[in-house]
Amino acid sequence: MAVGMGDTGLDGSSIRRVPADAGLREVSMTFGRDALRIADARDFAAGYLATSGKGRSHALSEDAVGAVLLVVSELMTNAVKYGSGPIELVLARTDGMVIVTVRDGGTSLPVPRPADPCRVGQHGLEIVAALSRDVDIRREPSGKRVTARIALG
């Protein structure tokens, strides 16, 4: 998908792309909460992963792509269930890592829970942590941000 800076998606979401000469290849899309389907966020991420490898020495493995798409699904689902306002998905790739950031207007921060195989549901952050090198959760002036860094090697 070729996207220019400041373009608007079909659902009214905004898309921004960092210029190619900026070194880090980053894209973001802001989804309206009412029209969001998690599959749309995964499709956006899959498209980015497919195009972000151009000009790189190695392609992403199926496992790496699967891990990134699952992290996107879990973080977006948490933002829908527990956040508020529009949800921004930001994706960036370096040679050894994909960085997934999700922002929303909710003010309560997710709390990592210990693994509990008897608990039904609420395993999203646990899954994200298991697939990621690290997870950063921060309050921002307009809500919160959750960033997962997924190692590619």
Side-chain angles (χ1 to χ4, degrees):
M1 162 175 32
V3 179
M5 294 182 69
D7 289 346
T8 301
L10 295 175
D11 63 354
S13 56
S14 63
I15 304 168
R16 105 180 126 77
R17 181 183 290 267
V18 172
D21 59 356
L24 184 67
R25 296 177 185 182
E26 178 182 289
V27 293
S28 97
M29 181 178 280
T30 300
F31 295 88
R33 177 172 298 284
D34 296 336
L36 174 62
R37 292 179 330 136
I38 303 303
D40 294 338
R42 275 195 313 271
D43 289 347
F44 177 73
Y48 169 72
L49 294 174
T51 61
S52 72
K54 292 181 181 172
R56 296 192 185 263
S57 58
H58 57 76
L60 290 178
S61 69
E62 265 186 57
D63 289 344
V65 170
V68 171
L69 296 180
L70 184 52
V71 166
V72 166
S73 292
E74 293 297 335
L75 292 180
M76 293 296 288
T77 298
N78 285 351
V80 168
K81 287 172 77 172
Y82 307 112
S84 66
I87 302 167
E88 180 186 29
L89 171 61
V90 182
L91 302 164
R93 180 174 174 195
T94 66
D95 283 330
M97 185 175 309
V98 172
I99 303 161
V100 177
T101 300
V102 174
R103 289 183 175 92
D104 70 76
T107 56
S108 60
L109 299 180
V111 178
R113 303 172 113 194
D116 180 357
C118 295
R119 183 176 64 239
V120 176
Q122 298 186 344
H123 292 279
L125 202 52
E126 187 180 331
I127 292 167
V128 170
L131 293 171
S132 303
R133 190 171 86 183
D134 61 78
V135 179
D136 183 47
I137 301 168
R138 296 189 185 255
R139 188 167 278 121
E140 294 189 329
S142 61
K144 69 178 168 291
R145 168 179 54 90
V146 180
T147 301
R149 291 171 191 82
I150 301 136
L152 299 178

